[in-house]
Amino acid sequence: MDELVERVDGQDRVLGVVSRREAIREGWLHRVAVTVCRDERGRILVHRRSEQVSRFPGLYEVEVGGAANVGESYEQAAARELAEELGIRALPRLLFTFINRSGLSPHWLGMHEAVVPDAVVPDPDEVAWHGWLTEPELGSALLEWRFTPDSHEAFSRYLAFRTTQP
């Protein structure tokens, strides 16, 4: 069964409930929450999506996340996705939101950050491989590996945000 999401407007106000498939097909804005996971040493978790997932199988990603369910905040969705995909309980911190037009369809993207244990146990149905990279290593990987369409924009906005913070 297709998941239900909230269709939102350009100001991120709820317009109604639709299926995620319909939101993508029609190009309707909806909410997605992602988290950049860092370990205690500052390395960033990168993973390759399983070949069984419906969206972007086998591609690499910098962020962990997915669509926000009906009535779910960005933070709640990000925490749920961390538990589902990595098997960890964490409280990701919402950094900012923006309208992302570089994925399958436009959506509001809530960008989070969390420090997580480096011993994660990813769901093999979601994650085929994972590793911890330094920022320079990740910079090289972004040029050489095949990442999901929105990984580049979301991560570059994340880095820009971090440089503006004390």
Side-chain angles (χ1 to χ4, degrees):
M1 185 169 137
D2 194 20
E3 60 193 316
L4 295 178
V5 298
E6 292 171 332
R7 180 180 175 193
V8 295
D9 65 14
Q11 285 71 51
D12 200 10
R13 295 178 300 219
V14 176
L15 300 173
V17 175
V18 298
S19 75
R20 184 162 188 213
R21 184 174 293 125
E22 184 180 20
I24 291 170
R25 184 182 66 239
E26 299 296 331
W28 293 335
L29 291 172
H30 56 288
R31 295 176 179 144
V32 173
V34 298
T35 303
V36 173
C37 297
R38 291 182 169 270
D39 68 4
E40 293 289 338
R41 296 176 14 207
R43 297 177 303 171
I44 299 166
L45 179 73
V46 176
H47 69 280
R48 186 169 49 80
R49 295 171 63 82
S50 165
E51 294 294 336
Q52 287 73 45
V53 297
S54 62
R55 296 174 183 97
F56 309 117
L59 297 187
Y60 290 90
E61 269 192 312
V62 179
E63 305 87 14
V64 174
N69 292 331
V70 174
E72 199 172 40
S73 70
Y74 285 108
E75 294 92 340
Q76 290 167 330
R80 176 182 48 76
E81 290 288 342
L82 286 175
E84 288 175 3
E85 294 187 21
L86 300 180
I88 59 171
R89 301 272 180 235
L91 294 175
R93 181 172 65 103
L94 178 64
L95 305 177
F96 58 89
T97 62
F98 70 98
I99 296 179
N100 183 0
R101 299 189 187 282
S102 60
L104 282 177
S105 70
H107 54 272
W108 275 95
L109 188 71
M111 178 65 72
H112 300 76
E113 181 179 57
V115 175
V116 302
D118 58 8
V120 298
V121 183
D123 177 350
D125 291 334
E126 299 274 345
V127 177
W129 171 89
H130 73 283
W132 294 94
L133 303 180
T134 63
E135 282 189 26
E137 291 169 336
L138 179 53
S140 295
L142 283 164
L143 298 173
E144 298 170 16
W145 303 353
R146 290 187 55 225
F147 280 81
T148 60
D150 54 353
S151 283
H152 291 275
E153 180 174 358
F155 191 66
S156 67
R157 285 179 182 249
Y158 167 77
L159 290 177
F161 175 85
R162 288 191 66 231
T163 62
T164 65
Q165 300 307 300

